[in-house]
Amino acid sequence: MGKQQSKLDATDLKELLDCTYFDKKELLNWYRDFMRDCPNGVLKREEFHTIYQQFFPNGDPTKFASFVFNVFDANKDGYISFKEFICALSITSRGSLDEKLDWAFSLYDLDNDGYITKEEMVSIVDAIYSMVGNLLDLPKDEDTPEKRVEKIFSQMDTNNDGKLTKDEFRDGSKCDPWIVEALTTPHR
């Protein structure tokens, strides 16, 4: 399930230095904090939900947190190891726009078939709307997940086949100033 180490060994540290955008000091600090919060060396789904609930107290982040958990859990063992956590955090916080868009694509592509269908996107958008609760004042043409998805697909689905490829998703996202700003603005 997880290694119960109080210290990050040299081999793991080197591997994480090579595959993340964090330096040695940052990795050691993240590892210390992760092990303090997850002494068994893994983050469980329920704990992940609890973290999201703290950030979104006015809504229900359970569904969205589950979707994000599934992307963080790269080996699909039902837990997030430190390596899985720090690699995902590296991409989402410091990755290039293309890396962040690829990560977002994997979030929306629920069945991992290489496409985002309208149904998959409605599931994610519905989860986002539930998570933020009444904090969003949405325009009439986006006030339901279905309307928002129709609008997105009308902009991104260039071949009108009812599903988005990674390229369509990437190109369409880059044409949306709101998405670009959301993905490139540093979050602290």
Short mmCIF file of all heavy atoms in Angstrom, two decimals, residues 129 136-145 147-148 151:
data_model
loop_
_atom_site.label_atom_id
_atom_site.label_comp_id
_atom_site.label_asym_id
_atom_site.label_seq_id
_atom_site.Cartn_x
_atom_site.Cartn_y
_atom_site.Cartn_z
N TYR A 129 -20.19 22.69 -10.61
CA TYR A 129 -21.31 23.53 -10.18
C TYR A 129 -21.74 23.16 -8.77
O TYR A 129 -22.05 24.03 -7.96
CB TYR A 129 -22.48 23.41 -11.16
CG TYR A 129 -22.34 24.19 -12.45
CD1 TYR A 129 -21.11 24.62 -12.93
CD2 TYR A 129 -23.45 24.49 -13.22
CE1 TYR A 129 -20.98 25.33 -14.12
CE2 TYR A 129 -23.35 25.20 -14.41
CZ TYR A 129 -22.11 25.61 -14.86
OH TYR A 129 -22.00 26.31 -16.03
N LEU A 136 -21.24 31.10 -7.97
CA LEU A 136 -21.16 31.54 -9.36
C LEU A 136 -22.45 32.21 -9.79
O LEU A 136 -23.53 31.67 -9.58
CB LEU A 136 -20.90 30.35 -10.30
CG LEU A 136 -19.50 29.76 -10.32
CD1 LEU A 136 -19.45 28.62 -11.32
CD2 LEU A 136 -18.46 30.81 -10.67
N ASP A 137 -22.31 33.37 -10.40
CA ASP A 137 -23.46 34.03 -11.01
C ASP A 137 -23.31 33.79 -12.51
O ASP A 137 -22.58 34.50 -13.20
CB ASP A 137 -23.45 35.53 -10.69
CG ASP A 137 -24.70 36.23 -11.20
OD1 ASP A 137 -25.73 35.55 -11.39
OD2 ASP A 137 -24.63 37.46 -11.41
N LEU A 138 -23.98 32.76 -13.00
CA LEU A 138 -23.78 32.31 -14.38
C LEU A 138 -24.71 32.99 -15.36
O LEU A 138 -25.88 33.23 -15.05
CB LEU A 138 -24.00 30.79 -14.45
CG LEU A 138 -23.02 29.97 -13.62
CD1 LEU A 138 -23.53 28.55 -13.44
CD2 LEU A 138 -21.65 29.97 -14.28
N PRO A 139 -24.20 33.26 -16.56
CA PRO A 139 -25.09 33.78 -17.61
C PRO A 139 -26.15 32.75 -17.97
O PRO A 139 -25.96 31.54 -17.76
CB PRO A 139 -24.15 34.06 -18.78
CG PRO A 139 -22.88 33.35 -18.49
CD PRO A 139 -22.83 33.08 -17.02
N LYS A 140 -27.25 33.21 -18.51
CA LYS A 140 -28.39 32.34 -18.82
C LYS A 140 -27.99 31.16 -19.72
O LYS A 140 -28.50 30.05 -19.56
CB LYS A 140 -29.49 33.18 -19.49
CG LYS A 140 -30.80 32.44 -19.65
CD LYS A 140 -31.55 32.40 -18.33
CE LYS A 140 -32.88 31.70 -18.52
NZ LYS A 140 -33.19 30.78 -17.44
N ASP A 141 -27.04 31.39 -20.66
CA ASP A 141 -26.66 30.31 -21.58
C ASP A 141 -25.65 29.33 -20.97
O ASP A 141 -25.17 28.44 -21.65
CB ASP A 141 -26.12 30.88 -22.90
CG ASP A 141 -24.83 31.66 -22.75
OD1 ASP A 141 -24.49 32.08 -21.61
OD2 ASP A 141 -24.14 31.86 -23.76
N GLU A 142 -25.35 29.50 -19.67
CA GLU A 142 -24.44 28.58 -18.99
C GLU A 142 -24.96 28.16 -17.61
O GLU A 142 -24.21 27.64 -16.81
CB GLU A 142 -23.06 29.24 -18.82
CG GLU A 142 -22.35 29.52 -20.11
CD GLU A 142 -20.96 30.12 -19.87
OE1 GLU A 142 -20.43 30.01 -18.76
OE2 GLU A 142 -20.42 30.70 -20.83
N ASP A 143 -26.24 28.42 -17.33
CA ASP A 143 -26.74 28.21 -15.98
C ASP A 143 -27.05 26.76 -15.62
O ASP A 143 -27.45 26.47 -14.50
CB ASP A 143 -27.93 29.13 -15.68
CG ASP A 143 -29.13 28.86 -16.58
OD1 ASP A 143 -29.05 27.99 -17.46
OD2 ASP A 143 -30.16 29.56 -16.39
N THR A 144 -26.86 25.84 -16.57
CA THR A 144 -26.93 24.42 -16.26
C THR A 144 -25.68 23.76 -16.84
O THR A 144 -25.09 24.28 -17.81
CB THR A 144 -28.17 23.74 -16.87
OG1 THR A 144 -28.03 23.70 -18.30
CG2 THR A 144 -29.46 24.44 -16.47
N PRO A 145 -25.27 22.64 -16.28
CA PRO A 145 -24.10 21.95 -16.85
C PRO A 145 -24.30 21.62 -18.34
O PRO A 145 -23.38 21.76 -19.14
CB PRO A 145 -24.00 20.68 -16.01
CG PRO A 145 -24.61 21.05 -14.70
CD PRO A 145 -25.73 22.01 -15.04
N LYS A 147 -26.09 23.22 -20.62
CA LYS A 147 -25.94 24.42 -21.45
C LYS A 147 -24.46 24.80 -21.58
O LYS A 147 -24.00 25.18 -22.66
CB LYS A 147 -26.71 25.60 -20.87
CG LYS A 147 -28.22 25.51 -21.02
CD LYS A 147 -28.85 26.76 -20.41
CE LYS A 147 -30.35 26.71 -20.38
NZ LYS A 147 -30.92 27.90 -19.70
N ARG A 148 -23.73 24.72 -20.48
CA ARG A 148 -22.30 25.05 -20.50
C ARG A 148 -21.55 24.10 -21.44
O ARG A 148 -20.72 24.54 -22.23
CB ARG A 148 -21.72 24.99 -19.08
CG ARG A 148 -20.23 25.23 -19.00
CD ARG A 148 -19.86 26.67 -19.29
NE ARG A 148 -18.43 26.85 -19.20
CZ ARG A 148 -17.69 27.48 -20.10
NH1 ARG A 148 -18.24 28.04 -21.15
NH2 ARG A 148 -16.40 27.59 -19.94
N LYS A 151 -22.18 24.85 -25.08
CA LYS A 151 -21.41 26.03 -25.48
C LYS A 151 -19.95 25.66 -25.72
O LYS A 151 -19.34 26.08 -26.71
CB LYS A 151 -21.54 27.11 -24.40
CG LYS A 151 -20.98 28.45 -24.80
CD LYS A 151 -21.31 29.50 -23.75
CE LYS A 151 -20.77 30.85 -24.13
NZ LYS A 151 -21.08 31.86 -23.11
#
